[in-house]
Amino acid sequence: MLIDINAYVGNWPYKQMAYSTCEALLKKMNQFGVDKAVVANMSGIFYKNCQAANEELFAEIESSATYKERIIPFAIINPVYPGWKSDFDKCVKAGIKGIRIYPQYHDYQLTDAACVELVKMARDHDLVVGLTVRMVDSRQKSWMDLDQLAGTDKPEQGLVDLLPIIKEVPAAKYFILNLANGYQLKNDDFELIMKSKVLMDTSGRSLANMAQALEFYGEEKFAFGTHAPILDYLTGMLRIESLREEEASQSTKDLLRWRNAQSMLNL
């Protein structure tokens, strides 16, 4: 069994997506034997009102019994947009399993009061909070993308940059997605991740050496993810399947393939 904890439908304004609908995503899932996928509508990163994108996703899922069985909806919530609490309530009623937040696109800090309040609300509803280290490689960004357009291009984030919200709300559940820079931590930061309910997906380039990452954090901190359709569908899977027997047993691989995700999502 395979559960992908990092997939999308929707559109990216600077790049054509090969599969932007549930129908197209499901074909890709079938091609690679993926049973379920956690999905958000990436259009919500750019819509002024994120809720419109969430409702597009919910409507598409409701249109098919197969989608309802295999697509696990996450909502994109912008905690500095008016009415976000009402949007959150609507998404909870729609049956979401988690939220994704994008402070780098919605112009707030993880420690802003509204963001902390949102994450606490997710915690209280037993929802997973998806923290995406990056959506696209900054070296390939459009000249119109946010930081470059403003002339304030910033260094890409790493795991350490996500720690402030985990420190603020340590009892919440977190997916750390597309980890592209520095996953190794020291001392108190390492202990925080080890004590927290955190899963890092296998899509990001920092986890190219999966065996080393497993040795550093252990088998219960990782789960299969693709970051599809922005990244290719296969790399996140190969990081698990290419592990040699002495690096990961079949039981460990099953934790990464689906068991860790299933437990976190209460499936």
Side-chain angles (χ1 to χ4, degrees):
M1 186 172 181
L2 279 170
I3 299 176
D4 178 1
I5 69 167
N6 182 17
Y8 291 91
V9 296
N11 296 295
W12 190 258
Y14 313 112
K15 181 179 180 180
Q16 185 180 40
M17 295 291 101
Y19 36 102
S20 59
T21 64
C22 288
E23 180 182 11
L25 178 64
L26 194 64
K27 289 179 181 178
K28 195 60 95 170
M29 291 168 63
N30 290 339
Q31 180 182 352
F32 290 98
V34 175
D35 298 271
K36 296 178 183 290
V38 170
V39 176
N41 183 354
M42 74 175 79
S43 298
I45 299 172
F46 295 95
Y47 286 177
K48 185 175 181 180
N49 181 1
C50 299
Q51 184 60 14
N54 296 328
E55 291 175 358
E56 287 175 358
L57 174 63
F58 302 155
E60 189 173 6
I61 291 173
E62 283 296 317
S63 70
S64 165
T66 301
Y67 299 160
K68 286 192 274 188
E69 180 183 352
R70 298 180 63 185
I71 302 295
I72 303 166
F74 269 41
I76 294 176
I77 303 290
N78 178 359
V80 296
Y81 185 79
W84 69 266
K85 292 182 183 180
S86 174
D87 294 340
F88 178 90
D89 290 339
K90 291 175 184 176
C91 292
V92 170
K93 290 177 182 176
I96 61 169
K97 285 289 188 177
I99 62 171
R100 289 184 183 169
I101 56 177
Y102 298 88
Q104 64 271 52
Y105 285 94
H106 293 155
D107 196 24
Y108 62 89
Q109 301 297 315
L110 283 171
T111 52
D112 286 357
C115 181
V116 173
E117 184 178 7
L118 170 60
V119 173
K120 287 181 176 178
M121 290 168 63
R123 174 202 63 194
D124 294 343
H125 285 81
D126 199 29
L127 301 175
V128 180
V129 178
L131 304 173
T132 303
V133 174
R134 72 175 186 184
M135 287 299 295
V136 295
D137 190 327
S138 63
R139 296 168 298 181
Q140 301 167 1
K141 285 203 304 187
S142 163
W143 66 271
M144 293 185 68
D145 210 341
L146 296 173
D147 289 337
Q148 293 194 15
L149 184 62
T152 57
D153 207 24
K154 303 170 187 175
E156 288 190 346
Q157 291 184 327
L159 178 57
V160 69
D161 298 297
L162 305 180
L163 297 182
I165 189 60
I166 301 176
K167 290 176 182 177
E168 288 279 351
V169 196
K173 300 190 294 188
Y174 298 94
F175 285 165
I176 295 176
L177 307 171
N178 195 17
L179 186 57
N181 298 291
Y183 70 84
Q184 294 192 357
L185 301 172
K186 296 180 180 179
N187 304 328
D188 292 346
D189 290 342
F190 174 78
E191 291 300 322
L192 175 67
I193 290 294
M194 295 306 293
K195 290 188 296 185
S196 302
K197 299 174 183 176
V198 169
L199 280 181
M200 293 173 266
D201 90 304
T202 59
S203 70
R205 70 183 181 197
S206 283
L207 299 184
N209 189 336
M210 197 71 229
Q212 185 181 68
L214 286 170
E215 185 176 356
F216 193 75
Y217 282 110
E219 61 189 15
E220 295 183 351
K221 291 297 181 184
F222 300 96
F224 167 57
T226 62
H227 202 59
I230 292 177
L231 297 181
D232 72 272
Y233 208 84
L234 191 56
T235 298
M237 185 184 303
L238 288 176
R239 288 186 177 137
I240 299 170
E241 301 309 322
S242 63
L243 289 166
R244 298 188 297 273
E245 186 174 350
E246 60 269 23
E247 295 172 330
S249 65
Q250 286 303 310
S251 62
T252 293
K253 288 184 178 181
D254 277 344
L255 286 172
L256 274 58
R257 290 168 179 142
W258 64 278
R259 289 189 183 277
N260 286 339
Q262 181 187 59
S263 177
M264 184 79 86
L265 292 164
N266 297 322
L267 298 180

